[in-house]
Structures are given as structure tokens and as C-alpha cells.
């Protein structure tokens, strides 16, 4: 995989892509999970011989972007701009865990850009209100700990 960097109006995006010069085959963008990076998908490359352009960006606060105060809407806008620049055509979207939730929301917001959706270790959310609230509290406690101790300690 080859590292890349794009400077867009919504910010700087980096990650990894394959091949270095895209071909006309299908395009695929992969979104990593929490505390991951675009390079997490490097082991998939041998299986992607038919893919013409594979891109795995580092999501805000991850990979080469370890500090970020971006909101979910900022992530959506940034991903839209990124995908529009990287592909300039509809693409397959793969998301793992947190990246899968982001991929699901992206596909719902921009269905004209997504040819197909692959979700791994992802759900649409917790239906039960009390379970959802308990998970949110747990996530906020973990987030505060990570903010205090750093992602590397996590």
C-alpha cells in the first residue's frame, strides 16, 4: 500500500491506497475501527486483485491525525469531500466496527455515491433505550480516560 495525503477545504486527509495508479476496476474505500488506521487493511491487498482503486483513509483522531475535535457531521462532510476527490465515481464502502457505523451513516446520507456496503463487526445501534444509555455512559467514561491517558495507553 502507498501512503497518500489530500488537502481539502474540510481538512487534510491521509491514509493508504492500492494500486499507486488506479485502474478502471471497481473502487473500494475501507474505514477502520476505533484506534485504528488506514494501514490496518494492508493484509487484504492480496485478495483485492480485481479492485481498481482501494483507499483506506485515517479517520479524524486516528492514524496520522491523533488529535481531532471533529463532530460526526464534520466526519461526514470530510468523507464526502475525500471520496469525491479520491474516486470521482460511485464506490464500494467497507467499514469495520466504528468505521462500519460511519459507513452506514455515509451510505444513508450519500446513497448516490455508494455502489455497495460491506459491514464487519457493526450494528445500526442499540434499540433498547436503557441499554443504549448505559452504553453511552460507558463510552463517555472510556473516552474521558483515553483523553486523559492518550490513545497509545488504550
Amino acid at each position: 500500500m502507498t501512503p497518500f495525503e489530500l488537502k481539502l477545504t474540510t481538512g487534510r486527509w491521509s491514509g493508504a491506497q492500492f494500486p499507486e495508479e488506479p485502474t478502471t476496476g471497481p473502487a473500494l474505500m475501507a474505514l477502520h475501527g476505533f484506534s485504528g488506521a488506514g494501514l490496518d487493511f494492508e493484509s487484504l491487498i492480496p485478495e483485492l486483485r480485481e479492485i481498481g482503486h482501494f483507499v483506506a483513509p485515517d479517520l479524524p483522531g486516528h492514524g496520522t491525525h491523533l488529535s481531532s475535535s471533529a463532530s460526526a457531521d464534520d466526519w461526514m462532510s470530510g468523507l464526502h469531500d475525500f471520496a469525491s476527490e479520491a474516486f470521482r465515481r460511485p464506490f464500494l464502502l467497507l467499514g469495520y466496527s466504528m468505521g462500519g457505523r460511519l459507513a452506514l451513516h455515509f451510505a444513508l446520507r450519500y446513497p448516490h455515491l455508494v455502489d455497495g456496503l460491506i459491514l464487519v463487526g457493526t450494528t445500526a445501534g442499540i434499540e433498547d433505550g436503557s441499554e443504549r444509555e448505559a452504553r453511552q455512559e460507558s463510552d463517555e467514561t472510556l473516552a474521558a480516560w483515553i483523553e486523559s491517558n492518550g490513545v497509545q495507553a488504550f
Side-chain angles (χ1 to χ4, degrees):
M1 289 181 76
T2 305
F4 71 85
E5 184 172 309
L6 286 177
K7 293 180 181 172
L8 305 168
T9 57
T10 50
R12 181 176 67 89
W13 287 79
S14 61
Q17 67 178 352
F18 173 85
E20 191 169 338
E21 294 297 322
T23 67
T24 58
L28 170 65
M29 180 164 61
L31 305 177
H32 61 77
F34 181 71
S35 78
L39 283 172
D40 290 353
F41 294 101
E42 191 166 25
S43 63
L44 292 179
I45 295 303
E47 306 303 322
L48 299 176
R49 290 178 293 280
E50 304 299 318
I51 295 294
H53 192 193
F54 175 80
V55 174
D58 293 335
L59 296 172
H62 298 79
T64 58
H65 300 280
L66 290 181
S67 63
S68 175
S69 60
S71 69
D73 280 338
D74 292 339
W75 284 29
M76 284 294 128
S77 296
L79 273 177
H80 176 268
D81 291 351
F82 171 81
S84 297
E85 180 67 24
F87 297 121
R88 301 176 190 252
R89 61 186 167 132
F91 56 92
L92 301 169
L93 184 56
L94 179 150
Y96 167 69
S97 191
M98 178 195 74
R101 292 285 297 272
L102 187 58
L104 180 59
H105 288 282
F106 186 91
L108 290 170
R109 186 175 288 185
Y110 306 109
H112 61 285
L113 294 178
V114 179
D115 271 343
L117 189 59
I118 305 162
L119 303 175
V120 180
T122 302
T123 68
I126 300 170
E127 288 187 42
D128 180 84
S130 60
E131 288 179 22
R132 186 174 49 249
E133 188 175 312
R135 174 62 186 262
Q136 186 172 3
E137 288 176 19
S138 172
D139 287 352
E140 288 173 4
T141 300
L142 179 58
W145 185 91
I146 292 170
E147 286 177 349
S148 295
N149 298 289
V151 173
Q152 297 302 326
F154 173 71

